[in-house]
């Protein structure tokens, strides 16, 4: 993954719009594509959910936005520019990316949050802790924000690691948030509270949530349904329940008839 010789600037008017335009992708050395001709747009102020079975290509798809690898067909655009036209540092500076396996560094809760923005004020850190549902965990320690974190976050649970990684992304205040199965270690109650708080905090940003958990995506502005690397559905929950067999199968396997309404 190389920067272009003369990178285009995203500029101050960058709005965070993401467009997948006929995107296909195969990993280096692989014969088969893992993504086939995918097109949709994720707009500022909206939440786009990507759902599908394990191995359907969800993480591969969102990994193309920050250029962890490049599309082998079609184009991924941010703010109207092909991501391959922009320097990696400027592109990634506009994205808060939270992977499923959250990475924490040795130090403290505060130093891990400041990794996103060294100049963040105490109020911003406290707000991120509240929104990410980490408050109870942090306040339970006598050290509070100075609570020690071991390398990799080995001294905290998987759910606590995920919430701290989400808090760190919130401190960054980027125009684009990508949560790649970042709620998988959370119980449903915490997941629900966190998503409600996120909606208020990230109101003007473009939000993409990758998940296998239907309850997490049910109220998204649009849902992309992947099946073996192909987009087999695009719409809101109610629309997909009528038009997309794959989505309906996922939904009925996870939720009761009342919850599906």
């Amino acid at each position: 993954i190389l920067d272009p010789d003369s990178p285009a600037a995203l500029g101050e008017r960058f709005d965070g719009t993401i467009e997948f335009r006929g995107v296909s992708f195969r990993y280096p050395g692989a014969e088969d594509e893992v993504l086939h001709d995918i097109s949709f747009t994720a707009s500022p102020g909206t939440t786009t959910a990507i759902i599908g079975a394990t191995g359907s290509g969800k993480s591969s798809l969102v990994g193309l936005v920050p250029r962890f690898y490049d599309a082998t067909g079609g184009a991924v655009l941010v703010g109207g520019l092909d991501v391959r036209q922009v320097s990696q540092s400027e592109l990634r500076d506009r994205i808060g990316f939270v992977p499923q396996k959250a990475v924490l560094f040795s130090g403290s809760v505060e130093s891990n949050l400041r990794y996103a923005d060294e100049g963040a004020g105490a109020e911003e850190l406290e707000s991120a802790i509240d929104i990410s549902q980490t408050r109870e965990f942090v306040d339970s320690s006598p050290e509070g924000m100075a609570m020690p974190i071991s390398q990799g976050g080995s001294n905290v649970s998987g759910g606590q690691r995920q919430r701290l990684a989400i808090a760190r992304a919130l401190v960054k205040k980027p125009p684009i948030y990508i949560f790649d199965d970042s709620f998988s270690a959370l119980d449903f109650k915490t997941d629900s509270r966190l998503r409600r708080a996120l909606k208020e905090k990230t109101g003007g940003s473009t939000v993409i949530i990758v998940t296998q958990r239907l309850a997490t995506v049910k109220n998204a502005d649009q849902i992309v349904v992947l099946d073996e690397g192909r987009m087999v559905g695009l719409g809101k929950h109610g629309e997909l329940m009528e038009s997309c067999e794959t989505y309906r199968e996922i939904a009925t396997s996870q939720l009761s008839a009342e919850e599906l309404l």
Side-chain angles (χ1 to χ4, degrees):
I1 305 296
L2 303 172
D3 283 346
D5 294 332
S6 303
L10 291 172
E12 292 181 9
R13 294 187 179 182
F14 177 74
D15 66 357
T17 301
I18 302 170
E19 182 186 353
F20 288 84
R21 191 180 288 174
V23 169
S24 297
F25 174 69
R26 72 160 57 88
Y27 284 99
E31 289 184 15
D32 299 326
E33 292 183 332
V34 293
L35 297 170
H36 310 267
D37 192 25
I38 292 176
S39 298
F40 69 91
T41 299
S43 304
T46 67
T47 296
T48 297
I50 301 175
I51 195 167
T54 302
S56 58
K58 303 184 298 295
S59 292
S60 298
L61 184 66
V62 294
L64 297 172
V65 181
R67 290 192 72 201
F68 294 158
Y69 21 75
D70 283 334
T72 47
V76 179
L77 296 89
V78 291
L81 288 173
D82 189 316
V83 291
R84 292 168 289 200
Q85 296 178 287
V86 183
S87 74
Q88 293 170 70
S89 60
E90 185 179 9
L91 175 66
R92 293 170 184 174
D93 194 45
R94 309 294 179 101
I95 300 170
F97 190 97
V98 185
Q100 180 180 2
K101 293 184 179 176
V103 178
L104 299 180
F105 306 99
S106 57
S108 65
V109 168
E110 182 175 347
S111 69
N112 269 275
L113 300 189
R114 287 194 183 281
Y115 192 78
D117 180 2
E118 290 181 4
E123 207 172 285
E124 292 169 287
L125 300 183
E126 295 291 341
S127 172
I129 287 293
D130 286 333
I131 293 163
S132 64
Q133 308 301 303
T134 318
R135 169 65 59 199
E136 187 178 341
F137 152 58
V138 171
D139 285 355
S140 68
S141 166
E143 295 102 331
M145 294 284 276
M147 174 187 168
I149 298 292
S150 301
Q151 180 63 31
S154 58
N155 64 326
V156 296
S157 71
Q160 289 164 342
R161 275 197 299 276
Q162 284 190 338
R163 281 177 278 169
L164 284 170
I166 291 167
R168 182 168 57 202
L170 290 166
V171 169
K172 190 175 184 181
K173 298 198 289 283
I176 295 171
Y177 288 93
I178 298 175
F179 299 102
D180 185 5
D181 218 0
S182 315
F183 309 143
S184 59
L186 307 182
D187 61 73
F188 283 99
K189 205 170 181 181
T190 305
D191 180 340
S192 178
R193 286 201 306 264
L194 197 154
R195 281 184 288 109
R196 274 199 304 273
L198 268 178
K199 187 73 176 171
E200 295 173 19
K201 170 71 175 181
T202 62
S205 299
T206 303
V207 178
I208 295 182
I209 297 176
V210 171
T211 186
Q212 293 185 61
R213 190 186 280 181
L214 193 111
T216 304
V217 305
K218 191 179 160 193
N219 297 315
D221 297 292
Q222 67 174 354
I223 302 167
V224 175
V225 188
L226 292 184
D227 185 23
E228 296 185 352
R230 300 181 188 279
M231 191 171 83
V232 295
L234 176 66
K236 291 181 179 290
H237 169 74
E239 298 164 350
L240 292 170
M241 284 298 293
E242 293 183 8
S243 65
C244 180
E245 185 180 347
T246 303
Y247 184 81
R248 204 159 47 241
E249 286 173 359
I250 296 170
T252 53
S253 71
Q254 293 186 24
L255 301 179
S256 68
E258 288 180 359
E259 291 170 321
L260 288 170
L261 297 175

